[in-house]
Amino acid sequence: MDCETLVKHLSAYIDGELDEQLSEEARQHLATCQNCRVVLDSTRRTILLYREQARVQTISADRSRALFDQIAEAFKARE
């Protein structure tokens, strides 16, 4: 497997959806290609960050406005 093929199948590889032969080829390529390991790691981290962010609860508009007011006051106090 080459880098282009790995990137093409990266999502399915991460999701465990590749057949065993392609999975093995991907693992072999990743064992020898630092660049693709970086791409794999970055992609996995991005997915994790997205999932974490999706779980973050939103705050009310009033609370948001109060927080921004506090930040603005803190900046004014530093001047």
Side-chain angles (χ1 to χ4, degrees):
M1 181 173 290
D2 60 15
C3 297
E4 185 176 336
T5 304
L6 180 82
V7 170
K8 179 181 173 186
H9 295 291
L10 189 61
S11 179
Y13 178 78
I14 290 171
D15 293 339
E17 297 173 349
L18 287 182
D19 64 44
E20 186 52 40
Q21 181 180 347
L22 280 176
S23 290
E24 181 57 29
E25 290 178 26
R27 284 190 292 272
Q28 288 176 5
H29 180 78
L30 288 163
T32 61
C33 183
Q34 174 66 24
N35 289 337
C36 284
R37 284 194 304 271
V38 169
V39 170
L40 174 63
D41 183 57
S42 298
T43 303
R44 282 181 171 159
R45 288 174 186 257
T46 300
I47 291 167
L48 289 173
L49 287 171
Y50 175 79
R51 287 179 182 163
E52 270 183 33
Q53 186 64 30
R55 283 185 251 147
V56 173
Q57 296 180 0
T58 59
I59 60 174
S60 70
D62 290 339
R63 180 67 181 136
S64 178
R65 196 170 16 264
L67 289 171
F68 280 111
D69 289 345
Q70 287 177 332
I71 292 170
E73 287 178 33
F75 276 109
K76 285 180 187 176
R78 292 184 72 192
E79 294 176 349

